[in-house]
Amino acid sequence: MTGITLDMSDFEKAAKALEKSNFTSLAARSVSPAFRASVALVRNTARREIAGRRHTGKLRAGIRSRVRGRGLNMEASVKATGSGANLIVGGVREHRIAPGRLMPLWAGRGAFRRGAGSGITGFATAVQHPGFPADPFFRRAIDKSESAIQGYIQTAADSMVRDLAAAMKR
């Protein structure tokens, strides 16, 4: 799997300062929605970034997010799963593909699993794969999402300040 992991280190610093005052649960009400919205934004932007490159849609569907934890102790990841995701993100160098003991060409459905060959011998002793460049769609997704995420963080911070000020007046 290939992807990114987001953490809440900035929010944790604020939480440690508030921990002594028992305001962490109050702060979490503002931070949690902003964090979840940020994760969803990166996931959806990554899906849009890869949509035009791959025609099957499997890689796009395999871009998933997961949020663990609660309150200010949350961790999220956005990953591209599925076969070949690491090749798309990292690219492939030019390389030679040579057969092992048997290089099946085509012997019908399931032939590769059974180890059956096509019966044609001497057709190709090796193939030169031209390779292809990396597609850093996660980097583009993060770059495009950065200003919106900063907006989410600022909104959460403003909401946290208002909520804390209201709680202190009580």
Side-chain angles (χ1 to χ4, degrees):
M1 291 188 280
T2 305
I4 60 166
T5 300
L6 304 173
D7 67 24
M8 297 189 48
S9 57
D10 291 336
F11 291 117
E12 284 180 305
K13 290 176 189 173
K16 286 179 183 175
L18 296 171
E19 209 165 26
K20 296 174 187 171
S21 307
N22 292 324
F23 285 126
T24 55
S25 62
L26 186 63
R29 286 195 315 205
S30 301
V31 172
S32 183
F35 188 68
R36 289 180 184 279
S38 297
V39 171
L41 177 66
V42 171
R43 180 196 63 226
N44 294 337
T45 305
R47 285 179 177 172
R48 280 193 303 277
E49 284 298 310
I50 199 65
R53 179 127 165 33
R54 303 285 159 207
H55 64 279
T56 64
K58 289 183 179 180
L59 181 60
R60 182 183 180 279
I63 298 175
R64 302 189 178 176
S65 61
R66 183 175 187 175
V67 179
R68 292 182 181 177
R70 299 177 69 161
L72 295 174
N73 296 318
M74 292 173 33
E75 181 182 293
S77 61
V78 180
K79 297 178 182 178
T81 61
S83 63
N86 60 329
L87 301 175
I88 303 301
V89 173
V92 175
R93 293 187 325 237
E94 180 180 329
H95 62 283
R96 184 174 183 260
I97 303 171
R101 294 183 315 167
L102 176 66
M103 186 173 184
L105 296 176
W106 176 251
R109 186 177 293 257
F112 292 102
R113 288 189 297 275
R114 292 190 310 267
S118 65
I120 301 172
T121 58
F123 179 77
T125 57
V127 176
Q128 186 66 29
H129 189 286
F132 54 86
D135 183 359
F137 64 93
F138 270 120
R139 172 60 24 214
R140 289 194 311 270
I142 291 167
D143 290 345
K144 289 183 177 183
S145 303
E146 188 175 357
S147 63
I149 290 171
Q150 290 298 327
Y152 292 147
I153 291 170
Q154 186 60 50
T155 302
D158 294 343
S159 176
M160 188 176 4
V161 168
R162 279 193 309 273
D163 292 347
L164 292 173
M168 285 187 209
K169 288 181 182 178
R170 289 186 218 152

